[in-house]
Amino acid sequence: MSLTSGTKLGPHEILSKVGSGGMGEVYRARDTRLDRIVAIKILPDHLADRSDLRERFEREARTIASLNHPHICAIYDVGHQDGTDYLVMEYLEGETLAQRLLKGPMAAEQLLQYAIQIADALDKAHRKGVTHRDLKPGNIMLTRSGAKLLDFGLAKLTQPAALSEATLSGLPKGSITGEGSIVGTLQYMAPEQLEGGKVDARTDIFAFGAVVYEMATGKKAFEGKSQASLIAKILETDPQPMSSLQPMTPPALERVVKSCLAKDPDERWQSAADLARELKWIGDAGAQAASSAAISPAGKRLPNRTLLYLGWAAAAVLLVVFAAILFRNSTSEAPSTAPVMRTSILLPAGQRLASDAADYPLAVSPDGNRIAYVADEEAGAQLYVRELSDLEPKAIAGTLGARHPFFSPDGHWVGFFAEGALQRVSVAGGAPLRICNISGLSKGASWGPDNTIVFASRGSGLQKVNAAGGVPQSLAGGDNGTWPEILPDNKTVLFSTGYTLATIPLNGGKARVLARTNDSSSDSSSESPAVLGAGYILQPRFVSSGYLVYGQSPGVVRAMPFDLVSLSLKGPPVSMIDTVERAQDGGAIYFAISETGLLLYVPTGQHHQMVWVDRNGAETPISSDRAAFRVPRLSPDGKLIAVAVSDETRRSDIWIYNAEGGAKRRLTKEGHNLEPVWTPDGTRLTFFSDFTVAQMLVNGSGSKEILLPGDRARSPCSWSPNGEDLIFDESDAAGDSLWHSTRSSHYASPVLLIRPTTGDCGVLSPNGKWMAYVSSESGRAEVYVASYPSLAEKIAVSTDGGHRPRWSREGRELFYRQGDALMAVSVDTGASFRAVKPRRLFAGPYRGESQEMAFDVSTDGRRFLMIKSDAAATLGQINAVQNWFEELKQRVPSAQK
């Protein structure tokens, strides 16, 4: 029977019930003698009549009483009143480790602190001859004073001789839970424990390893769909390497945990004392760990270690240790002897960086003390600012739809693009201020020390404006410029034109080409002294000590020596990082550098899975294949899937999959092929192929036919039901637009439908009378439906933003993406168009943030073909390299030398 408030057990007054767990119920109480708050644990009525459980309850009291340790919950008293047995224990305020791990993995410094404390507590227990046998996150309390080990209700005395006579007095003869029985919590049990064998201190060490694994990764070391499968996993398999879940896991910690989880007790750490010492070594070693030697569990010397990473951040925690250690006392120049240190920053659970077309979602302040990023959310892209000394990022109000964040020189303001304008907002909060209107998609910006902002937009090239506001002025000579960077002289702008790297005076003038790529057309009059290989040049940045750093497709960060005085390159480029994420349509590469030498970048994630998702969000995998799937399209009969698959160079080919799994085959084998569209009869596929619109027979026979030549970037969108009209998107310097062409004219003389658009495809209704498309004419991307081909009648369908419309096969519903959500609208496509209010079907980590048609609808409208993205794992992680300039000095000769 539960105790009510005011009930007294001896001198202790019950205040409230805390919870139930282990072998009893726990209450918060007040010790009236000493006027202190205590915890009272009682054996519930339904267990009190069992002599074995009463004996175990009493044994817990005696066990805890024998263990005097700051990280073991202390026992103050034991009593019996009115048939109730109770323990009086230290009252702990905080949360259990299990509760904490619901928020995600732990930062390295915090993890090591708690792990050392738990290991010390286990060492104390083991020296007293006590094996806990139920070590798990629920039995570890996290308090202001550190970790506290709880619940010795299943403890076993393994070395009675180690206890004093006073402690042993009154204990039962022999052990309550002898060999052959299984006690504890299944997920953390050692193999010998599961098999009913002999348990000892090494059994607790196995559980300790499972607990630390979970602290580090946020995942349980062993999981199964049933108890039988879970037991099999523990007995027969090793857990997934921690580094595969948290790439920046310190190698030494990985080795420690792996040894703890050895199946054979003889291969584990043999004592908690040795384990605690090794963890302390990891915590204390820091950068010196690279050259230190340590003792292995078997007592052998290990070779010199590689440089230890400082750790990783938890979901919802962006690296306490980074703020406390790496960013404290930041200076304008990193010490020449400062070690290069690497770690990972995880965005809060459920967040991931925006990956919209050509987007650039990441920025770092010049002093390296804060970051700004844009995260995809259900309502749209949202700007966040994270002080690296704080635990949580802060959403900046009024910044929905933000793109391309960049900092002011003092780091107190963030500039960004949204709603057709260049804006700025204080990092302290407040309403954003509109600086000027822009036309076309943004292509980067730079904020100079005199408050001049140079920015680029598609179709307008380089422009400059005062941060206080005004009318932007075109920067003469920078018509095709993108990704501007104002150099430290405040007189010169560094920029890219895609295939060239150039500079131009801030006040306008002739651009000077510094380098070209292999893809650029030759120019005999060029002063270019360098060729930078193949691939777009993106986001050039000058960094101190004489380096020019830039991104290059498909996802590489390169550096080369650069003389700021002569504005010239002084050596060949060196690839520094070659696994950097890039915007889905081939735009920005996700990296940022502070003036203090902090490099941030997003690691590449290219493995996705095709799945069916029903209207309630339930998933069914189509195949076990994982690849960089893009733009899946179902055949008219719903039996086949045409999908683009990209390789490591971002080159794509069209593959054909069976819609219910099984067979697959490759259709295209040359060039870059993307965005397949089925012809109405299902015999051919139309697709983007190296800037042309091409077509092939689905059976693979015959050659590729070019429908529209590659004089500009064109992508097919939709066929009319009779196969006569082809709707396509065209991208040029002025932006995106929708056109149509006819088969009868051999696709000559295309006709403009709508300009400008967002780049989303226009799709015709099944009856061919209406076209759904996306426009930002209201200041936000919304889905519209217009009569086809006249476009005389136009109706807004989405109400809170929308992208990538798709009709159901019978034309009674229209679907579109709104952030992570899939929206549905019931429609009438008869003589006039009518639509009801959109409703949300489901949301999830599915590709579709770019203008690609990233989903399709089954013929019956009950299921949706989606690409399940690993963006939650990749675009939710930012890798950080502190003192990266030291690495530059070692690998790239400086122009100042």
Side-chain angles (χ1 to χ4, degrees), residues 68-83:
N68 182 19
H69 190 276
H71 297 295
I72 297 177
C73 179
I75 185 168
Y76 299 143
D77 198 0
V78 60
H80 180 88
Q81 178 176 307
D82 301 328

Side-chain angles (χ1 to χ4, degrees), residues 483-485 487 492-496 501-503 514 540-542 548:
W483 309 111
E485 169 84 345
L487 294 178
T492 310
V493 178
L494 177 70
F495 68 98
S496 166
L501 183 66
T503 60
L514 303 179
R541 298 288 182 262
F542 173 80
L548 192 152

